[in-house]
Amino acid sequence: MAASMRALLRRATRSSHRNVGVAAAGAAGRSGCCRPPTTCRCSSDVAGDRSTHFGYETVPESEKAKKVYKVFENVAQKYDTMNDAMSLGIHRLWKDMLLHAMHPQPGVQLLDVAGGTGDIAFRFLEYVRAQRERQERRAALSTQTPSWRQVAADYAAAGAEAGPPESRAVVCDINKEMLRVGKQKADGAGIGAGLSWVAGDAEELPFGDDQFDVYTIAFGIRNVTRIDQALQEALRVLKPGGRFMCLEFSKVTNPVLSRLYDEYSFKVIPVLGEVIAGDWKSYQYLVESIRKFPDQEEFHHLIEDAGFCCVTHQNFTGGVVALHSGFKL
């Protein structure tokens, strides 16, 4: 009975939030920072009758997730090797730039969606560890020759609570084979503390509301069937003040680079997929999925429509990749 009452109250609260959002739409639009979340989910009501893209192929929405699952199940073992080969190793720099933009501090709780082989989570834990060590060194230096005020402050704080809780990274991926490869990498590198692995769908995350400080998704959101629904789920699981960060392939801004990039993408990457992973079709899909994904401005507006505030994006490598960011207020 108590559980059902809580569910009713939660639905009523969300309904009131939607009404407030509609009433505030004019002011939010003028501010240039926030938009109320878009609540229309008409297409999900008739998902069985709707179609979407799987690369350049048109498929029913109900089939796309199965097809994408098969792609990543096929490429999981060679996923990291192919990333290095396709990007000439530059993907590592893009992911490092995401972490530097995030600049997480000790105690931050991260959810990395479509995190499969753990690249973002591993970098996050290493970054936070380095930050903690830097803070400890500074604290040690400051107490080498303490003033009487510092001694008094330390004495007063002796019974106070300890520092922030340990940081935690949760890797959530719908594909169990990708998670298995990620766990193997973590075990091989001796990474275990503060790291957990969860099988889950970006469109229906298996977490409660207001759980995480940062939500990341790197090169994964273009494979989601309902991007708007995934963005709404990201907003839901973030704490107030939490940050959404998405690293994704985007539209190249330089015409000359764009032509070269298209030639490389369609004529070289599938060949690399066949030679390295024994899978031409999966990498043909991945190349096509990039072209079907919204460009920087369009995706920027999708993030705002989901309810995020202070949305920005930054191009890397001439727009080959863009880093999108927004906050939950």
Side-chain angles (χ1 to χ4, degrees):
M1 180 69 180
S4 62
M5 287 297 294
R6 284 196 296 271
L8 287 170
L9 286 171
R10 189 178 297 112
R11 283 197 292 271
T13 301
R14 287 178 178 170
S15 176
S16 66
H17 286 170
R18 287 196 290 269
N19 293 336
V20 170
V22 171
R30 289 190 296 272
S31 73
C33 182
C34 298
R35 293 185 184 184
T38 300
T39 57
C40 177
R41 295 172 64 174
C42 311
S43 57
S44 66
D45 297 333
V46 290
D49 299 326
R50 293 181 62 88
S51 62
T52 187
H53 61 82
F54 175 74
Y56 289 161
E57 181 185 354
T58 300
V59 299
E61 279 192 348
S62 58
E63 291 185 12
K64 179 173 178 176
K66 298 174 185 176
K67 287 179 172 289
V68 170
Y69 190 99
K70 188 64 176 176
V71 165
F72 286 92
E73 187 176 55
N74 291 342
V75 305
Q77 288 294 334
K78 297 291 185 179
Y79 184 78
D80 291 328
T81 303
M82 277 297 298
N83 280 347
D84 283 333
M86 290 187 299
S87 71
L88 305 178
I90 299 174
H91 76 100
R92 298 173 182 266
L93 298 178
W94 295 330
K95 292 167 183 174
D96 288 343
M97 292 163 80
L98 183 153
L99 260 297
H100 284 288
M102 185 192 304
H103 191 50
Q105 297 300 305
V108 167
Q109 309 295 300
L110 170 74
L111 173 63
D112 183 34
V113 176
T117 58
D119 274 5
I120 301 300
F122 299 161
R123 283 171 168 77
F124 167 82
L125 293 172
E126 175 60 24
Y127 194 101
V128 168
R129 183 191 63 78
Q131 289 295 313
R132 184 180 293 277
E133 289 178 354
R134 187 175 293 112
Q135 291 174 7
E136 290 172 351
R137 285 197 299 270
R138 288 175 180 169
L141 287 172
S142 69
T143 57
Q144 284 181 355
T145 53
S147 65
W148 67 268
R149 289 188 180 87
Q150 184 63 50
V151 172
D154 290 345
Y155 181 79
E161 294 183 0
E166 290 294 323
S167 291
R168 178 174 59 113
V170 178
V171 179
C172 179
D173 199 297
I174 197 171
N175 195 289
K176 294 181 180 179
E177 185 64 19
M178 292 286 285
L179 288 173
R180 189 180 68 81
V181 172
K183 289 177 184 178
Q184 288 177 344
K185 282 176 59 181
D187 292 342
I191 302 172
L195 180 63
S196 55
W197 307 82
V198 176
D201 187 346
E203 297 178 43
E204 193 173 354
L205 292 169
F207 308 105
D209 298 355
D210 307 331
Q211 294 290 307
F212 299 96
D213 300 298
V214 182
Y215 172 114
T216 56
I217 181 165
F219 308 114
I221 201 162
R222 74 181 188 281
N223 299 306
V224 171
T225 303
R226 292 290 310 280
I227 293 174
D228 59 340
Q229 194 165 321
L231 290 171
Q232 289 171 13
E233 278 291 273
L235 187 74
R236 180 182 67 79
V237 301
L238 280 169
K239 299 175 184 177
R243 189 177 188 182
F244 167 84
M245 302 186 78
C246 175
L247 192 64
E248 188 53 87
F249 291 108
S250 200
K251 183 177 181 180
V252 177
T253 53
N254 182 285
V256 175
L257 179 58
S258 179
R259 286 195 296 273
L260 293 173
Y261 179 53
D262 283 345
E263 288 287 312
Y264 177 76
S265 296
F266 286 98
K267 294 184 178 179
V268 177
I269 288 178
V271 175
L272 288 174
E274 180 64 30
V275 172
I276 296 174
D279 192 338
W280 177 295
K281 288 184 178 180
S282 291
Y283 285 94
Q284 182 71 27
Y285 156 74
L286 292 175
V287 168
E288 293 174 358
S289 70
I290 294 169
R291 273 66 187 179
K292 298 296 290 185
F293 188 71
D295 65 20
Q296 291 90 323
E297 291 297 331
E298 186 178 352
F299 188 51
H300 180 112
H301 293 313
L302 286 175
I303 297 169
E304 288 182 329
D305 289 344
F308 286 98
C309 295
C310 304
V311 177
T312 61
H313 66 267
Q314 177 183 1
N315 286 337
F316 297 156
T317 319
V320 172
V321 164
L323 174 61
H324 295 263
S325 173
F327 292 87
K328 175 180 177 176
L329 298 184

